[in-house]
């Protein structure tokens, strides 16, 4: 198995919405409701933004939301803010290991 | 607040062994039910799960690296460690340690705490 597939880039103006997809298989994304999303700034460690498809940890703004349909999970950022610019990675439990997505660079125009 | 901190040599020669330690503060690694994990990120690339160790000691490895890996824990020091032998340039990466609750049973299946990362360069 290889990494989960994400679009390389996504962009939007402040206040707009951006949705990032994460496509896996019936053995990972499709098999479990255990998809997470991580935000990463350059030179920094990833930060958990969404767990278990749609759970938002304490302190994460409610403009971040997650969903899943079949083998594809999605992260939506509603009301895009300048500080949302960065790299976003999805990740999925696979039963005996863990796969990450290829990453999406979000640009706030 | 749980904090994780990676430490180890920043430069390793090809064919030698990469050794890293993760020091945990703000909580005991022997208090379950967590997995303690190593993840790496090659320069300009994505994230790759390397290995996990359960608080009771059972280990899990990325199949693509398993033959070269050892993960262990020292509960007296509240640390866990990674050894990757026979390294090559492709092993150059930022190595992160992290915590992962067990999937299911009311826990979130995710990496919820991360260290800041340690850059390891493989070069002669």
């Amino acid at each position: 198995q290889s990494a989960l597939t994400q679009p390389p880039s996504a962009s939007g103006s402040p206040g707009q919405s951006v949705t990032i997809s994460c496509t896996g298989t019936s053995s990972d994304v499709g098999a479990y409701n255990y998809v997470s999303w991580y935000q990463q700034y350059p030179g920094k460690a990833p930060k958990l933004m969404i767990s278990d498809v749609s759970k938002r940890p304490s302190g994460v703004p409610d403009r971040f939301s997650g969903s899943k349909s079949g083998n594809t999970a999605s992260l939506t950022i509603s009301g895009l803010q300048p500080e949302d610019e960065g790299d976003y990675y999805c990740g999925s439990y696979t039963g005996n290991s863990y796969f990450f997505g290829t990453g999406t660079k979000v640009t706030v125009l | 607040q749980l904090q994780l901190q990676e430490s180890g040599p920043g430069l390793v020669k090809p064919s030698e062994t990469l050794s890293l330690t993760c020091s945990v503060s703000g909580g005991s690694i022997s208090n379950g039910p967590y997995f303690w994990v190593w993840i790496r990120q090659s320069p300009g690339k994505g994230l790759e799960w390397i290995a996990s160790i359960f608080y009771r000691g059972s280990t899990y490895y990325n199949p693509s690296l398993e033959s070269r890996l050892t993960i262990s824990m020292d509960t007296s020091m509240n640390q866990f460690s990674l050894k990757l032998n026979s390294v090559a340039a492709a092993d150059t990466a930022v190595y992160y340690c992290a915590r992962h609750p067990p999937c299911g049973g009311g826990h979130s299946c995710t990496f919820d705490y991360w260290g800041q990362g340690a850059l390891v360069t493989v070069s002669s």
Side-chain angles (χ1 to χ4, degrees):
Chain A
Q1 275 181 289
S2 57
L4 310 175
T5 300
Q6 298 180 233
S9 63
S11 62
S13 298
Q16 290 187 329
S17 291
V18 165
T19 296
I20 305 166
S21 62
C22 170
T23 302
T25 70
S26 57
S27 297
D28 40 63
V29 174
Y32 307 94
N33 288 324
Y34 292 146
V35 176
S36 294
W37 290 91
Y38 306 89
Q39 176 192 64
Q40 187 179 36
Y41 294 133
K44 299 295 186 182
K47 174 189 174 185
L48 176 65
M49 304 302 283
I50 295 286
S51 68
D52 302 335
V53 175
S54 60
K55 293 181 183 176
R56 202 172 42 249
S58 174
V60 173
D62 61 6
R63 62 179 181 273
F64 290 88
S65 62
S67 63
K68 191 188 88 166
S69 177
N71 296 338
T72 299
S74 298
L75 173 72
T76 297
I77 310 173
S78 305
L80 204 58
Q81 299 294 311
E83 61 265 31
D84 298 334
E85 184 163 295
D87 295 324
Y88 290 81
Y89 293 91
C90 62
S92 178
Y93 175 70
T94 72
N96 56 6
S97 61
Y98 200 92
F99 284 112
F100 289 98
T102 49
T104 298
K105 182 174 181 57
V106 170
T107 301
V108 181
L109 302 171
Chain B
Q1 175 78 348
L2 193 73
Q3 292 187 318
L4 293 83
Q5 178 71 58
E6 304 87 351
S7 60
L11 181 65
V12 181
K13 290 182 168 55
S15 80
E16 295 190 344
T17 297
L18 178 160
S19 296
L20 290 169
T21 296
C22 182
S23 300
V24 179
S25 58
S28 171
I29 64 170
S30 57
N31 289 346
Y34 300 104
F35 293 88
W36 302 97
V37 180
W38 288 98
I39 294 162
R40 71 180 183 181
Q41 185 171 33
S42 301
K45 300 286 182 62
L47 299 161
E48 179 181 33
W49 168 75
I50 300 172
S52 301
I53 186 165
F54 197 42
Y55 77 108
R56 290 178 177 169
S58 50
T59 58
Y60 306 85
Y61 296 109
N62 185 320
S64 68
L65 299 167
E66 183 168 9
S67 62
R68 299 193 289 134
L69 283 171
T70 303
I71 188 172
S72 61
M73 59 195 303
D74 183 340
T75 55
S76 66
M77 296 292 290
N78 215 36
Q79 296 174 335
F80 63 101
S81 299
L82 178 76
K83 291 188 187 300
L84 176 66
N85 58 35
S86 303
V87 298
D91 296 310
T92 293
V94 175
Y95 286 77
Y96 295 100
C97 58
R99 189 187 81 165
H100 192 290
C103 297
H107 299 284
S108 285
C109 184
T110 192
F111 301 105
D112 55 0
Y113 288 92
W114 295 67
Q116 65 184 31
L119 174 62
V120 179
T121 301
V122 178
S123 175
S124 55

